[in-house]
Amino acid sequence: MIRLKTPQQISAIREASQLLITVLEELERMVEPGISTLDLDQYAYKRITALGARPAFLGYMDFPASLCTSVDSAVIHGIPNKQRLRSGQVLSVDCGVEYRGYFSDSAFSVPVGSVSTEVEQLLRVTRESLLLGIEAARAGNRINDISRAVFHHTHSCGYGVVRPYCGHGVGLEIHEDPQVPNYVGRGPNPRLKPGMVLAIEPMINLGGDDVRVLDDDWTVVTADGSVSAHFEHTVAIMAERTEILTAREV
Ligand code: MG
Ligand code: MG
């Protein structure tokens, strides 16, 4: 069931999103060779709780951390650890917060130090595909319009589009209906209505689209070991416009 949000609820989700933006901007600035994903996770936990919010992923289905940190061939759901990041790697950071009962969800991928032109392009195209998906997320369109925009932009570059995981409704819970796939499948294709709040999140691989889950039962990696990128925004669909609630400068 898709829960449409009232303007008051959207305001509350906007507040949660503002808080998430602050934390993600700080985290992105901290990413450099030598820092560990555990360092980032501990910072995020302290910062989110100091701001009066709760890390929404921590304890969710027993996930052990505040952030998902996915390095190189890890697509999503990586568990923070003590290993130091090295120049040339790609880090994807995904974070959800709950603030006063409302949820927001956002993710970014960032190069650690310098990366190859090939990887820079993957990051740029994945970010662009998120923005194209958001452009298609207009009241009156359908979920598949978002999916098609993301898929077309990334697939046409020869990238693998991850299928088993997708975007979702968000706001009153961290994961709500509807699902927002990054490809056009045969699943439900509801019309987009004012009051829908969606997390749109392309997960795009430099190589093939196939993924598998590591023995930790969380980390999703590319089957061919190629680098993967992940960008995510929480957006609110309103009658006249769609607002990117987690938009930020960095
Ligand atoms: Mg997320
Ligand atoms: Mg999400």
Side-chain angles (χ1 to χ4, degrees), residues 12-169:
I13 301 165
R14 187 181 291 114
E15 280 186 39
S17 299
Q18 288 293 334
L19 192 150
L20 179 55
I21 289 169
T22 301
V23 177
L24 289 182
E25 283 179 346
E26 292 172 2
L27 287 169
E28 187 158 351
R29 281 194 284 264
M30 289 169 69
V31 174
E32 59 178 16
I35 198 165
S36 75
T37 51
L38 189 62
D39 295 333
L40 295 172
D41 185 64
Q42 288 173 343
Y43 179 84
Y45 178 81
K46 279 189 205 141
R47 198 71 176 97
I48 291 166
T49 49
L51 289 165
R54 186 181 74 80
F57 297 167
L58 183 62
Y60 181 78
M61 294 170 74
D62 294 327
F63 188 75
S66 302
L67 301 178
C68 295
T69 53
S70 307
V71 179
D72 286 342
S73 62
V75 181
I76 49 167
H77 301 170
I79 299 171
N81 63 43
K82 285 184 180 168
Q83 230 165 27
R84 294 176 187 284
L85 295 171
R86 300 185 310 273
S87 184
Q89 291 183 312
V90 170
L91 171 67
S92 299
V93 174
D94 191 353
C95 186
V97 295
E98 178 186 0
Y99 182 61
R100 298 181 175 170
Y102 294 90
F103 292 83
S104 183
D105 188 4
S106 184
F108 65 87
S109 294
V110 66
V112 182
S114 56
V115 295
S116 67
T117 317
E118 195 180 33
V119 169
E120 273 176 12
Q121 178 178 297
L122 172 73
L123 298 180
R124 178 175 54 77
V125 170
T126 304
R127 188 199 295 264
E128 286 168 359
S129 77
L130 171 57
L131 297 177
L132 290 168
I134 293 169
E135 261 177 44
R138 302 278 162 205
N141 279 0
R142 289 185 180 273
I143 288 288
N144 276 352
D145 293 307
I146 302 173
S147 310
R148 191 177 297 108
V150 170
F151 184 84
H152 181 262
H153 190 62
T154 51
H155 184 73
S156 66
C157 290
Y159 298 144
V161 180
V162 175
R163 293 173 184 240
Y165 303 90
C166 57
H168 49 91

